[in-house]
Structure formats: structure tokens, C-alpha cells
Amino acid sequence: MKILLGLFLVLFISYFSPSVSASEIYCGVCNMPIPEHAKNHIILKKDSKTVDLCSAPCASKIIKHDPNYKNSLVTDFNSPDKMIDGNLAYFLVKSEKIKSDMGSMVMPPYLAAFSTKKKAEEAQKKYGDGIVIYGLGEALKAS
């Protein structure tokens, strides 16, 4: 009887507990979940250590406390399943209108990464605001 009761409790708890996927990613600063294909996902790298970040403010906090994070990957705004080198990417910064296409969980200031300057300028024209900046470091300073 005790075994059945124990088994029932385990099944009951596991059924009603919120499930957490092992593949879910959380921000290394604020612990906010980063959805798959998030358009604002930033990964900073230092030696063999990587930190996933949900936004420009969280990336700025990491770099402020440890400027040795020199390498980065950022989500390509036009291809959210693709990460590109943040040091070689072009960014649309100071655009308020781009938020509508970034998702509901994005914190300002909004930073959108593009693989080419032409694509960043096309987005700037489409949204009608913002500044195109080269490289994540400069984009974080400008945002």
C-alpha cells in the first residue's frame, strides 16, 4: 500500500509540475528565458566560456564587468535560425519601430543584427528610423 501511495504521489507531482525542456536557454544576467529563434539573442565568448544573453542591456552589463568578452554571435534578424559573428555584423540601433517584428519579450534599447550593410540599410528604410552601426561593441555603445 505504501508503495502504491508513493508511486501515486510521484506520478501526480510529475504530471502537474511545469515541464522544463533541457534545450531551453536562459539569459546569463537576468535569467529570462530566450525563446528558440529569438531575434535578439546574443552569445558572448571568452576563452572557452560562453554566455547567452536576452538583450542589449544584459550584454552591456557583462561587457562592463568583464571587457575580455571579445567574441560574439548574434541572431541574424532576417534569418532567426542563424547566428552570425557579432563583430562583423551590421546593426540597426535606435529604432523604435523595429520592436513590432522583434517579439513581445524584447527589452529596449532594440538592437537588430544583419549580415550585410545593405540588409541593415533596407531595414532602416523599411522602418523609417534608426542608425546603422558596424560591430556589436559599437552598437552597444550607441544604443
Side-chain angles (χ1 to χ4, degrees), residues 51-115:
V51 179
D52 290 279
L53 302 157
C54 70
S55 63
C58 288
S60 294
K61 287 178 184 177
I62 288 283
I63 292 171
K64 179 180 178 182
H65 293 300
D66 190 347
N68 293 319
Y69 282 95
K70 301 286 185 196
N71 298 317
S72 60
L73 293 172
V74 294
T75 302
D76 185 328
F77 185 80
N78 290 331
S79 303
D81 58 332
K82 180 179 164 190
M83 300 293 282
I84 57 178
D85 186 329
N87 296 328
L88 303 176
Y90 289 86
F91 293 84
L92 181 59
V93 299
K94 298 191 181 218
S95 172
E96 293 297 319
K97 296 177 183 173
I98 202 165
K99 184 199 182 305
S100 63
D101 288 336
M102 293 194 79
S104 61
M105 300 295 288
V106 180
M107 290 188 294
Y110 312 116
L111 202 83
F114 299 87
S115 57

Side-chain angles (χ1 to χ4, degrees), residues 3-18:
I3 294 173
L4 286 175
L5 181 58
L7 181 60
F8 173 76
L9 285 173
V10 168
L11 290 173
F12 182 82
I13 291 170
S14 63
Y15 180 78
F16 287 104
S17 296

